[in-house]
Amino acid sequence: MELVGQWMNAQGKRGRRAGGRDTRATLLAAAREVFTEQGYDAATVRAIAQRAGVDAAMVNHWFGGKDALFSESISLPLNPAEVLGHLIEGDPEQIAERLLYTFLRVWDEAEGGQFVAMIRSVTTHEAALRALREFVVSMLGQLLARLGVDQPELRASLCGAQIIGLGFVRYVARVEPLASAEHETVVTAIALNLQRYFTARLDASSGT
Amino acid sequence: MELVGQWMNAQGKRGRRAGGRDTRATLLAAAREVFTEQGYDAATVRAIAQRAGVDAAMVNHWFGGKDALFSESISLPLNPAEVLGHLIEGDPEQIAERLLYTFLRVWDEAEGGQFVAMIRSVTTHEAALRALREFVVSMLGQLLARLGVDQPELRASLCGAQIIGLGFVRYVARVEPLASAEHETVVTAIALNLQRYFTARLDASSGT
């Protein structure tokens, strides 16, 4: 997990607030904050640029516009191909555990603001829905394809349901004790279930 | 399940489109449709009454106003106490199966419109968040209390995460194959996992 954590920090935080050293990453971080606070429609390119401390023209330079910035800002702040590599390494029977620690670490930043922004957007903006589907179908689908299990599409949507449900209850509805539970408590409670969606027989009355 | 189904039909559908025979239920059904289509802010009491084919004054008469109508319309169209009774009867090891069939039957009406409306509202309207928390904490909590298992609050939030995640992927994100899968396929794939949150040890590396 440590490798994944280091890598994610490198991806997600590099250049944040670094004042021009990595304008693109700074803009993405600012966009996540502003979209979370104000929603897609109310958030302006000017406000995001201001939050990032850069000129508004940088948004067009780096992203081409508000829609593309939004789309990228609600994607996970990590590179799916590299995360996939880290997840697929090691014991396939602990893949759910690695995935849960990864998501909790990413999502817990900004008190789940990014997840809340995605959920808030997903029912009204096609870009958000696309990002979510991409996560479920593409990233989880690839992971399952590498595991070589049966019914990869069904498994991907089941894994997606468990992961999104966790995020929803923890960050959106903030139902206790799941909302404040330590990562280890959450992973211990959920990993076995998520793992079943990855590798166990789905049509059996027993989980193994 | 048949009893639950009959009871739910009686609760959820009685009087729908029946032209005055059960104005309250007709208004609730119309409210679900209009809130789903237009969102809370844009939906008017007049539009809902018109859809129901009754006078707008009936909304105040039966619900006291738009907010209360909204709150009730996004709650499950069933009486928690009675559903609890049906769920608690029978084999405790099949409680997840009974619960999943119940929700799929309720939510599949109007292509999941009620669930979509709840999710769309939950990040912006306190009434929707309250209804969702009430479902997780109150209904699932009571169910778990009757089962007499340990950590009922944690289990309730875990059960809620699995159920909401299923609804999200099936009705909001519409990720296939879960979006179109037959009830039996969904229940077979998920019941064992949900059942673990109800009755299995949560701190063990084995599910039983």
Side-chain angles (χ1 to χ4, degrees), chain B residues 36-82:
Chain B
T36 302
E37 292 163 13
Q38 307 181 10
Y40 178 81
D41 292 326
T44 63
V45 165
R46 178 190 290 266
I48 292 166
Q50 198 165 32
R51 179 78 57 101
V54 304
D55 192 273
M58 288 296 107
V59 171
N60 284 323
H61 174 72
W62 284 107
F63 300 94
K66 178 176 163 183
D67 186 59
L69 174 60
F70 174 71
S71 180
E72 191 145 347
S73 76
I74 58 172
S75 300
L76 285 172
L78 35 79
N79 178 327
E82 294 201 41

Side-chain angles (χ1 to χ4, degrees), chain A residues 28 32 35 69-77 114 117-119 121-122 125 127-132:
Chain A
L28 271 179
R32 279 184 202 116
F35 282 131
L69 174 60
F70 174 73
S71 178
E72 193 147 345
S73 76
I74 57 173
S75 299
L76 284 172
Q114 195 198 2
M118 185 186 73
I119 295 296
S121 310
V122 89
H125 294 287
L129 192 57
R130 215 161 44 224
L132 184 70

Side-chain angles (χ1 to χ4, degrees), chain B residues 3-111:
Chain B
L3 267 178
V4 178
Q6 286 170 9
W7 174 81
M8 278 166 40
N9 283 339
Q11 288 287 314
K13 289 181 172 168
R14 178 169 16 111
R16 182 161 174 165
R17 304 284 191 214
R21 189 165 62 86
D22 192 337
T23 305
R24 195 174 185 285
T26 310
L27 271 170
L28 270 179
R32 281 185 199 115
E33 293 176 6
V34 175
F35 283 130
T36 302
E37 292 163 13
Q38 307 181 10
Y40 178 81
D41 292 326
T44 63
V45 165
R46 178 190 290 266
I48 292 166
Q50 198 165 32
R51 179 78 57 101
V54 304
D55 192 273
M58 288 296 107
V59 171
N60 284 323
H61 174 72
W62 284 107
F63 300 94
K66 178 176 163 183
D67 186 59
L69 174 60
F70 174 71
S71 180
E72 191 145 347
S73 76
I74 58 172
S75 300
L76 285 172
L78 35 79
N79 178 327
E82 294 201 41
V83 173
L84 278 173
H86 286 293
L87 290 175
I88 210 74
E89 285 167 17
D91 186 355
E93 288 302 323
Q94 297 188 321
I95 201 164
E97 188 179 318
R98 293 195 291 275
L99 188 65
L100 285 168
Y101 273 120
T102 302
F103 282 118
L104 286 169
R105 213 180 286 201
V106 173
W107 281 343
D108 268 12
E109 286 188 29
E111 295 177 5

Side-chain angles (χ1 to χ4, degrees), chain B residues 108-166:
Chain B
D108 268 12
E109 286 188 29
E111 295 177 5
Q114 196 200 359
F115 187 86
V116 174
M118 185 186 71
I119 295 297
R120 187 174 288 171
S121 309
V122 89
T123 54
T124 45
H125 293 288
E126 187 54 35
L129 192 58
R130 215 161 44 225
L132 184 69
R133 277 220 198 91
E134 191 176 292
F135 156 64
V136 175
V137 175
S138 167
M139 182 171 155
L140 292 176
Q142 283 182 57
L143 197 51
L144 285 152
R146 293 207 204 176
L147 288 173
V149 288
D150 66 337
Q151 304 189 77
E153 294 86 4
L154 178 61
R155 290 177 188 276
S157 52
L158 291 166
C159 289
Q162 174 62 81
I163 294 166
I164 291 165
L166 164 62

Side-chain angles (χ1 to χ4, degrees), chain A residues 119-120 122-123 132-133 153-154 157-158 161-162 165 168-169 173 177-178 188-190 192-193 196-197 202 205 207, chain B residues 119-120 122-123 132-133 153-154 157-158 161-162 165 168-169 173 177-178 188-190 192-193 196-197 202 205 207:
Chain A
I119 295 296
R120 187 174 287 171
V122 89
T123 54
L132 184 70
R133 278 219 198 90
E153 294 86 4
L154 179 60
S157 52
L158 291 166
Q162 174 62 81
F168 201 93
V169 167
L178 205 52
T188 302
I190 295 182
L192 191 73
N193 277 21
R196 177 169 173 266
Y197 291 146
L202 293 181
S205 59
Chain B
I119 295 297
R120 187 174 288 171
V122 89
T123 54
L132 184 69
R133 277 220 198 91
E153 294 86 4
L154 178 61
S157 52
L158 291 166
Q162 174 62 81
F168 201 93
V169 167
L178 204 52
T188 302
I190 295 182
L192 192 72
N193 277 20
R196 177 169 173 267
Y197 292 146
L202 292 181
S205 59

Side-chain angles (χ1 to χ4, degrees), chain A residues 39-63:
Chain A
Y40 178 83
D41 292 325
T44 63
V45 165
R46 175 188 292 266
I48 292 166
Q50 199 165 30
R51 179 78 57 100
V54 304
D55 192 274
M58 287 297 107
V59 171
N60 284 324
H61 173 71
W62 285 107
F63 299 95

